[in-house]
Amino acid sequence: MPAFTATAPGKIILLGEHAVVYGQPALAVPVRKVRARAVVRAEIGQKAETIHLLAPEIDLDTTYDTLEPGNPLRLAIAVVLDELGISRTPACSIRIQSTIPMASGLGSSAAVSVAVIRALSGFLGHPLSREKVSALAFEVEKIHHGTPSGIDNTVVTFDKPVFFSKDDDLQILSIGKSFTFVIGDTGIPSATAHTVASVRKAYHAEQQRYEDLFSSIGSLVLKAQDAIQEGKSEVLGLLMDENHVFLKEMGVSIPELDQLVGTAKKTGALGAKLSGGGGGGNMIALVNPNQADMVANSLEKAGAAQTIITHIEPS
Ligand code: PMV
């Protein structure tokens, strides 16, 4: 049995996080400079059903059957075996590597799940469709996020900019011209499940206020979809700024994110906001291409643990 390798990119949410969990649309794009990769190989001489898991970056060297039932890697393997109706696997190893920072809103968990699901199903001789891979990764996301919208597994599986609404069919985002973004990482890990749960609690306490916030964000997303399609950077920047204000009102920003957002704006970014769950993790700034290095340097000087410059290109 030949070795089978699969990869999946990171992702960033441009607008609409949190509101998307409540049925509003959101925009997300792949970040291809960072990737998760899974390689599945036959292990000669091991007894059947032994799945050896290796992830050197997180000091993981174990077997499938010894992982806790709630472990996301265990679930990523289990959903594939269940989907394919396989009860006795050939002895194999799954080696996982990722350059996507963890717990920071860059889709690390979804990308690892997608890479493992693809590599294992391919190794077992039954590569799955993108729709199926995304649906299985969504099951794993529930462990990470509690009540995920499905945006992470979707953008990471399809590796395309998306206009996503959890109750509608996937729409690929149409892009009028190239846009450049700088991503700045606070270096503060934040579990998305935690911020999603805190928003849910606040929503139950103040339902009308949160419904208004979610629908205001949904309106920004629709305008941003048009701005991206028409290639209007200034408009998109202003919409990102407004989205950040709503996220602050929702209670998911922290001073470190606000500070990086302020730094990006002072350095000339057209717009900036936190991206993903918040409570730490990443912010994103829209910049003119010739300003990208300058904004990235300013963010690093202001304390960003890491910056990534990324682009979306016309489709
Ligand atoms: O995985 P993150 O941190 O990028 O957050 C995902 C976006 C949320 O809207 C906060 C949650 C969800 O499932 O859509």
Side-chain angles (χ1 to χ4, degrees), residues 11 13 16-21 104-107 145 147-152 192 195-196 275-278:
K11 72 100 208 358
I13 295 183
E17 52 275 269
H18 287 293
V20 69
V21 175
S104 69
L106 281 176
H145 285 194
T147 52
S149 62
I151 192 167
D152 282 15
T192 305
T195 50
V196 168
S275 178

Side-chain angles (χ1 to χ4, degrees), residues 33 41 95 105 112 177 179 197-198 200 203 210 212 215 219 263 266 270 272 276 283 298 306 315:
K33 274 188 185 165
R41 279 198 180 84
R95 178 178 281 268
V112 167
K177 67 154 208 190
F179 291 90
S198 74
R200 186 164 301 276
Y203 166 72
Y210 273 76
D212 291 347
S215 68
S219 309
T263 301
K266 266 187 240 138
L270 301 168
M283 49 71 67
S298 304
Q306 193 189 350
S315 41

Side-chain angles (χ1 to χ4, degrees), residues 202-265:
Y203 166 72
H204 286 307
E206 286 182 280
Q207 200 152 337
Q208 192 56 53
R209 185 165 90 84
Y210 273 76
E211 266 166 22
D212 291 347
L213 280 167
F214 297 148
S215 68
S216 302
I217 292 174
S219 309
L220 296 182
V221 169
L222 295 178
K223 290 182 193 158
Q225 181 191 23
D226 289 344
I228 291 174
Q229 197 162 355
E230 291 159 17
K232 293 184 175 159
S233 312
E234 279 79 12
V235 177
L236 180 60
L238 291 173
L239 294 166
M240 289 170 65
D241 291 343
E242 283 184 58
N243 194 167
H244 185 69
V245 174
F246 288 136
L247 288 162
K248 272 176 82 162
E249 284 179 28
M250 214 184 269
V252 293
S253 194
I254 56 168
E256 290 84 348
L257 280 165
D258 294 337
Q259 202 204 337
L260 293 183
V261 165
T263 301
K265 291 288 296 176

Side-chain angles (χ1 to χ4, degrees), residues 10-222:
K11 72 100 208 358
I12 197 97
I13 295 183
L14 299 184
L15 280 96
E17 52 275 269
H18 287 293
V20 69
V21 175
Y22 296 81
Q24 296 293 336
L27 308 179
V29 299
V31 178
R32 301 195 180 110
K33 274 188 185 165
V34 286
R35 294 194 89 78
R37 174 189 168 92
V39 184
V40 185
R41 279 198 180 84
E43 285 224 319
I44 315 291
Q46 294 287 338
K47 72 176 189 346
E49 291 174 59
T50 307
I51 303 181
H52 187 181
L53 278 160
L54 293 151
E57 288 143 5
I58 53 164
D59 286 331
L60 183 86
D61 184 345
T62 188
T63 53
Y64 168 63
D65 53 348
T66 57
L67 290 172
E68 296 286 315
N71 182 294
L73 280 177
R74 184 185 169 104
L75 189 58
I77 295 168
V79 291
V80 172
L81 299 181
D82 191 48
E83 174 66 27
L84 301 180
I86 290 178
S87 52
R88 255 175 91 77
T89 50
C92 62
S93 67
I94 306 180
R95 178 178 281 268
I96 299 155
Q97 282 171 305
S98 175
T99 53
I100 309 172
M102 289 194 291
S104 69
L106 281 176
S108 147
S109 56
V112 167
S113 298
V114 166
V116 167
I117 291 167
R118 276 200 178 125
L120 183 59
S121 57
F123 172 79
L124 293 169
H126 298 281
L128 298 168
S129 68
R130 289 190 297 188
E131 287 73 13
K132 184 53 79 180
V133 169
S134 183
L136 296 182
F138 180 65
E139 292 307 309
V140 185
E141 284 294 284
K142 288 181 186 166
I143 294 188
H144 291 287
H145 285 194
T147 52
S149 62
I151 192 167
D152 282 15
N153 49 285
T154 302
V155 66
V156 157
T157 304
F158 286 83
D159 196 358
K160 292 259 191 304
V162 297
F163 173 91
F164 178 88
S165 166
K166 69 177 186 175
D167 301 321
D168 293 325
D169 289 343
L170 172 66
Q171 277 185 51
I172 303 300
L173 188 57
S174 140
I175 299 167
K177 67 154 208 190
S178 169
F179 291 90
T180 302
F181 299 93
V182 182
I183 301 166
D185 187 352
T186 58
I188 301 169
S190 174
T192 305
H194 184 78
T195 50
V196 168
S198 74
V199 170
R200 186 164 301 276
K201 198 166 157 212
Y203 166 72
H204 286 307
E206 286 182 280
Q207 200 152 337
Q208 192 56 53
R209 185 165 90 84
Y210 273 76
E211 266 166 22
D212 291 347
L213 280 167
F214 297 148
S215 68
S216 302
I217 292 174
S219 309
L220 296 182
V221 169
L222 295 178

